[in-house]
């Protein structure tokens, strides 16, 4: 009997629909089909790929309201955020990589210093990998897999997406949009199911796995992928710190903290999960944050004036409730929110003061609408507190002193640190995205992310194939003397010292010629 997967609207509990789970055999077949299609797709020109991606944008734009509604219904997020945090940024990413992938992946000449004097040259050319398996989380169920798919396709790969079990219809929508735009069959496919289907996709040995999700699953995927030496990019959890100095624009910092902590009900990998404020500004900043928080309307995401939607699942809800309870027990104060609304998946935006790094909600990823606030006295202490975490995805530093902010930013162990800004750079397709420490391995977006989807091939050429190389056989005492000279003169990288080696090099080459 085929397994079924039913998707629900977390805000209302309404059923969105039921789908058949893709069996492990069908997953392997999908990867095989993707590999067969790869043989043709990799030969398409960048112009053709660009045309198709730009056509995909047009299909998406034509269906924008339906897609936004589906994202809002299946994930629980406000329709405003479906548009501002998923659809608009991914449309921008699509045009960027459609227009620029050819330039970014153009063959690259490599400077080879003194070797070029011997008439040699080197370049790197980039080849696609094959089939890219994309396994996303549910929290940005549209923009993350779609953006990664576009980058993979522009680089010449085909794609198999395994959407989260909480958002399968959004995954299917992505494939439908590509198909409507005219992408050849099997360039983009979806397989449906939960963890087992994801595991089957890894087992089917695609040529790359792009994974977004928890640290625990990331470790399982890395271990399973190692069996086939499949390379993986892991985009994992975060416990992102916001550091606010007293000289910051506190009005702006308060609004940023509220958006950074509560957008997507706090279910962003780069949500503000911990706020550290210089103690002299703590009272003022907290008062503003609490006032801003109380303005927010919470409700069903498809209502256009709703700012905070539903959480995604009961599991998420329990983590949030546990962390808030621990804050309470540990002596922190709840300044706003702190409650679940009945037995629904709505948790009130919650502001907590008196937090310390020992508390559960300051150590583990909460992934919910909580904003715990702690204080610091000195710059060094701010850095120490921000770095006191197993995670390192993003962080932000707020100050009107640019030099201080940059100095602090570079000391924070995180893949992205924003100054006087918060959270949003995943939306800038040109910039790399990825974590330090347990927040991940590898990068998506930016040139760095595109490079994850290709393999560089080094082409080296001897433009003067006339003389034998001095290091070739047969060896002799003269050869050994020459190699000593290579080590002490040529290998210094100094032109002057290398020139001193020329008579010996000439003797060696004449010796080789004589032996011909
Ligand atoms: P999750 O790890 O439970 O699931 C992620 C995906 O992996 C899902 O599609 C799931 O079906 C699949 N999966 C589960 N077990 C698997 C297995 N053994 N093999 C293969 N696939 C498997 O994570 P989640 O709850 O969906 O997402 C929340 C997490 O994602 C948070 O920790 C969040 O910080 C993180 N996240 C990170 C980023 C980033 O860019 N770093 C972005 C979004 C979310």
């Amino acid at each position: 009997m085929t397994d079924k997967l039913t998707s629900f609207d977390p805000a209302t509990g309404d059923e969105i629909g039921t789908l058949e789970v893709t069996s492990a055999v069908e997953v392997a077949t999908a990867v095989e089909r993707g590999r067969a299609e790869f043989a043709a797709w990799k030969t398409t020109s960048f112009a053709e790929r660009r045309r198709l991606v730009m056509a995909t944008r047009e299909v998406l734009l034509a269906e924008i309201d339906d897609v936004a509604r589906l994202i809002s219904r299946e994930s629980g997020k406000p329709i405003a955020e479906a548009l501002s945090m998923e659809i608009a940024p991914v449309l921008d990413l699509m045009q960027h990589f459609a227009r620029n992938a050819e330039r970014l992946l153009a063959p690259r000449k490599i400077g080879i210093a003194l070797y070029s004097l011997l008439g040699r040259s080197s370049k790197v050319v980039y080849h696609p990998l094959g089939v890219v398996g994309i396994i996303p989380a549910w929290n940005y169920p549209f923009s993350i897999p779609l953006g990664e798919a576009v980058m993979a396709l522009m680089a010449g790969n085909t794609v198999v997406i395994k959407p989260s079990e909480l958002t399968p219809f959004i995954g299917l929508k992505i494939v439908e949009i590509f198909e409507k735009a005219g992408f050849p069959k099997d360039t983009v496919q979806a397989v449906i199911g939960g963890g087992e289907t994801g595991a089957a996709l890894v087992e089917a040995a695609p040529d790359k796995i792009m994974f977004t999700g928890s640290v625990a699953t990331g470790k399982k995927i890395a271990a399973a992928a190692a069996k086939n030496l499949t390379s993986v990019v892991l985009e994992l959890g975060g416990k992102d710190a916001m550091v606010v100095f007293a000289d910051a624009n506190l009005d702006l910092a308060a609004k940023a903290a509220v958006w950074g902590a509560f957008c997507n009900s706090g279910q962003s990998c780069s949500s503000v999960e911990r706020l550290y404020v210089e103690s002299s500004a703590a009272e003022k900043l907290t008062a503003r944050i609490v006032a801003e928080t109380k303005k927010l309307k919470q409700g069903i995401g498809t209502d256009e004036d709703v700012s905070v939607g539903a959480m995604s699942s009961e599991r998420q809800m329990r983590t949030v409730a546990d962390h808030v309870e621990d804050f309470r027990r540990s002596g922190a104060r709840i300044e706003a929110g702190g409650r679940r609304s009945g037995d629904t998946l709505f948790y009130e935006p919650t502001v907590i003061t008196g937090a310390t790094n020992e508390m559960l909600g300051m150590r583990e990823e909460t992934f919910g609408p909580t904003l715990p606030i702690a204080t610091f006295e000195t710059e060094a202490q701010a850095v120490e507190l921000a770095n006191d975490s197993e995670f390192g995805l993003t962080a932000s530093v707020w100050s009107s002193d640019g030099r201080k902010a940059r100095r602090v930013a570079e000391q924070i162990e995180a893949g992205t640190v924003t100054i006087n800004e918060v959270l949003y750079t995943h939306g800038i397709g040109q910039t790399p995205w990825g974590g330090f420490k347990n927040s991940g391995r590898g990068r998506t977006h930016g040139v760095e992310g595109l490079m994850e989807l290709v393999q560089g091939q080094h082409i080296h050429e001897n433009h003067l194939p006339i003389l034998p190389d001095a290091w070739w056989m047969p060896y002799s005492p003269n050869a050994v003397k020459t190699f000593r000279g290579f080590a002490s003169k040529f290998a210094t990288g100094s032109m002057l010292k290398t020139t001193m080696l020329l008579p010996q090099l000439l003797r060696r080459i004449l010796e080789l010629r004589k032996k011909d």
Side-chain angles (χ1 to χ4, degrees), residues 136 138-139 162 165 198 211-214 217 236-237 269 315 365 433:
W138 43 263
N139 63 337
K162 201 298 285 173
E165 54 273 40
F211 171 71
T212 308
S214 61
T217 309
L236 309 177
C269 48
R315 188 185 72 172
E365 189 179 37
W433 182 264

Side-chain angles (χ1 to χ4, degrees), residues 36 142 196 214 271 332 386 398 402 422 459 507:
F142 188 71
E196 312 80 63
S214 61
S271 290
W398 293 75
V422 76
I459 303 284
R507 272 196 292 281

Side-chain angles (χ1 to χ4, degrees), residues 246-308:
D247 61 4
N249 177 336
L250 296 182
D251 279 333
L252 210 62
K255 285 180 194 293
V258 166
W259 181 70
F262 303 141
C263 67
N264 209 19
S265 279
Q267 302 167 114
S268 300
C269 48
S270 47
S271 290
V272 175
E273 288 247 341
R274 305 174 279 155
L275 190 152
Y276 301 102
V277 55
E278 193 165 355
S279 57
S280 57
E283 208 175 308
K284 225 173 182 178
L285 183 74
T286 305
R288 288 173 199 193
I289 286 175
V290 170
E292 289 294 329
T293 302
K294 291 190 170 155
K295 288 184 198 162
L296 303 177
K297 179 174 171 189
Q298 186 166 35
I300 295 177
T302 45
D303 292 347
E304 292 193 357
D305 60 348
V306 158
S307 295
V308 183

